[in-house]
Amino acid sequence: MRHSITVRFSRTPRRPMKKKMNSTGRKLSIPQEIMYEIFSWLPVKSLVRFKCVTKFCNSLATESDFLNIHVRRSMTRPGGTEFFSHETRPVFYTTGQIEDGRASASLLQIDDFYYHAPAYSGLDYVNGLFCFWGPTFAGPAAIFNPSKGENRVIKKSISSRSSRQEVNNYHGGSN
Amino acid sequence: MASSTTGEKKILTLKGGDNEEFILEESLVLQSELLKNMVKEERVSSIPLPSIKSKTLVKIIEYLKKHAELTPSNKEEFKNFEKEFVNVVLEELLDITVAVNYLKINGLLEFCCQAVADRIKDKSVEAVRKIFRIESDFTPEEESEFRKETPEAFEGDLDDTTN
């Protein structure tokens, strides 16, 4: 069964678009609205890498409107990440880049954790990372990083709100 | 004033940045939200587009023609055309993207942005700054912090900005 992730909309206002001349004054820089659009098609890995291009690029990585668009696009573009769920556990499937006309794919799975279907309410997406949690009997909450194929268990029992916090902390530490 | 011809195809003139004129059927430019509004509301028959180079305009008109001919049976051919369409040097692709954004041709904008993203995804931070013609607005301290933390983001060929 294919499981789609609920996209949350929060009301972070988009920054006002500024046009800027570069030091030579010859050619206008690419408007931020276009950079926004281009960046929404980048793989997570590149987004993290380009955080140090400018403050605007840095701000995208924490802007929820942008991240919502980004996760939707990641699910449709070639080479994006697709998400499937199994009866009892989440499975991530990333279609790799098409090289030499052949599609390469990899299957990433969180093997260590078993979740019962109702536990799926505890699935969230923050900054390109996924967090799972459920009732105590379902095991500890976990964070999964699709771009690196890593996952990490959060040892202590936590609520959904602090899960998001943990994901943010983990994200900060992984860059 | 718009031409008063009824029944015949309406003709529109687009003027590129270097005053070169392009005469085309009005129905073609309706794919651009910007031009559509100009044509519908202001009933113009000639539209100056001083910010768009003629070279760029030629490419966009080429796309509009192909897209207008798109039917379920030539979908494959159109896909190949799209692939070839973005197969230009990066600077030219960005010129096209900026113009398409201005003209509000939505499908093409998405496609161009996707193509740019694909071309820049492995480039260095410096190369990306060069490509977008932007400069770092971080303090020198923040900048050196980034370089220390993620040196790999700054690796790569600095002149690698055209492919």
Side-chain angles (χ1 to χ4, degrees):
Chain A
M1 192 191 83
R2 186 134 171 205
H3 182 87
S4 65
I5 286 166
T6 319
V7 180
R8 281 155 189 258
F9 290 92
S10 59
R11 312 238 167 261
T12 317
R14 212 189 267 194
R15 293 178 155 225
M17 302 300 175
K18 275 182 280 178
K19 279 187 182 172
K20 201 178 114 185
M21 292 282 272
N22 67 8
S23 62
T24 58
R26 268 186 305 121
K27 265 195 143 175
L28 284 174
S29 54
I30 303 297
Q32 281 185 356
E33 59 188 289
I34 297 177
M35 288 185 60
Y36 189 98
E37 191 65 30
I38 292 169
F39 272 50
S40 75
W41 292 101
L42 283 173
V44 177
K45 226 177 178 171
S46 310
L47 273 187
V48 172
R49 181 182 169 93
F50 296 156
K51 271 172 85 169
C52 29
V53 171
T54 58
K55 285 180 180 165
F56 171 72
C57 301
N58 197 9
S59 73
L60 289 180
T62 50
E63 198 189 294
S64 47
D65 280 354
F66 173 81
L67 292 169
N68 285 329
I69 295 171
H70 184 262
V71 79
R72 268 203 302 276
R73 296 204 157 147
S74 299
M75 286 190 251
T76 53
R77 71 178 161 81
T81 311
E82 294 195 48
F83 307 94
F84 298 93
S85 81
H86 211 250
E87 283 290 308
T88 51
R89 62 180 107 162
V91 172
F92 296 86
Y93 176 79
T94 46
T95 51
Q97 294 302 312
I98 294 172
E99 274 162 23
D100 305 325
R102 282 186 315 165
S104 61
S106 58
L107 194 67
L108 306 159
Q109 194 172 343
I110 303 185
D111 276 324
D112 309 340
F113 316 110
Y114 290 83
Y115 284 95
H116 298 280
Y120 267 99
S121 56
L123 172 62
D124 209 342
Y125 173 87
V126 187
N127 295 350
L129 301 170
F130 291 86
C131 184
F132 304 88
W133 65 91
T136 326
F137 63 84
I143 293 168
F144 177 65
N145 182 342
S147 68
K148 291 189 173 176
E150 290 171 1
N151 59 67
R152 184 178 288 187
V153 187
I154 304 170
K155 288 274 159 35
K156 56 184 192 280
S157 170
I158 48 171
S159 67
S160 69
R161 171 174 291 203
S162 56
S163 295
R164 285 187 78 103
Q165 193 52 49
E166 285 279 345
V167 173
N168 277 320
N169 292 345
Y170 172 60
H171 191 261
S174 72
N175 296 333
Chain B
M1 278 292 288
S3 59
S4 56
T5 47
T6 42
E8 270 175 60
K9 282 173 180 161
K10 282 191 189 165
I11 297 298
L12 190 81
T13 308
L14 297 182
K15 257 189 214 168
D18 18 28
N19 271 333
E20 205 172 319
E21 293 193 348
F22 300 90
I23 298 164
L24 58 162
E25 283 172 29
E26 192 188 281
S27 62
L28 272 185
V29 305
L30 299 184
Q31 296 178 60
S32 148
E33 287 297 320
L34 179 90
L35 299 181
K36 188 172 152 187
N37 288 338
M38 284 177 149
V39 170
K40 297 268 173 201
E41 284 166 22
E42 296 165 36
R43 320 284 300 162
V44 288
S45 59
S46 170
I47 299 179
L49 299 165
S51 65
I52 305 177
K53 279 188 227 158
S54 291
K55 191 183 173 193
T56 309
L57 210 47
V58 167
K59 284 283 280 183
I60 293 173
I61 292 169
E62 192 190 340
Y63 177 89
L64 294 179
K65 282 184 181 158
K66 273 275 178 205
H67 190 255
E69 291 164 4
L70 178 63
T71 61
S73 61
N74 64 14
K75 230 177 172 173
E76 233 9 77
E77 191 192 320
F78 182 74
K79 272 199 176 146
N80 289 336
F81 165 77
E82 273 191 316
K83 240 187 240 164
E84 269 311 301
F85 183 84
V86 291
N87 191 14
V88 291
V89 291
L90 195 48
E91 197 179 357
E92 198 184 337
L93 181 58
L94 278 165
D95 281 347
I96 295 170
T97 308
V98 170
V100 165
N101 179 60
Y102 174 69
L103 294 170
K104 294 197 171 68
I105 309 170
N106 289 333
L108 182 56
L109 179 64
E110 274 202 2
F111 189 74
C112 287
C113 287
Q114 214 175 337
V116 175
D118 227 37
R119 299 267 279 272
I120 63 165
K121 66 178 195 287
D122 296 321
K123 293 200 188 291
S124 73
V125 168
E126 287 288 7
V128 169
R129 285 176 185 155
K130 244 182 166 174
I131 288 161
F132 290 119
R133 299 174 214 124
I134 46 179
E135 278 168 13
S136 169
D137 49 3
F138 292 108
T139 61
E141 291 78 29
E142 287 170 320
E143 182 84 15
S144 67
E145 189 70 16
F146 280 133
R147 283 174 192 267
K148 219 169 71 191
E149 276 179 14
T150 53
E152 68 281 358
F154 292 86
E155 281 163 15
D157 188 356
L158 278 190
D159 297 322
D160 182 27
T161 53
T162 48
N163 320 306

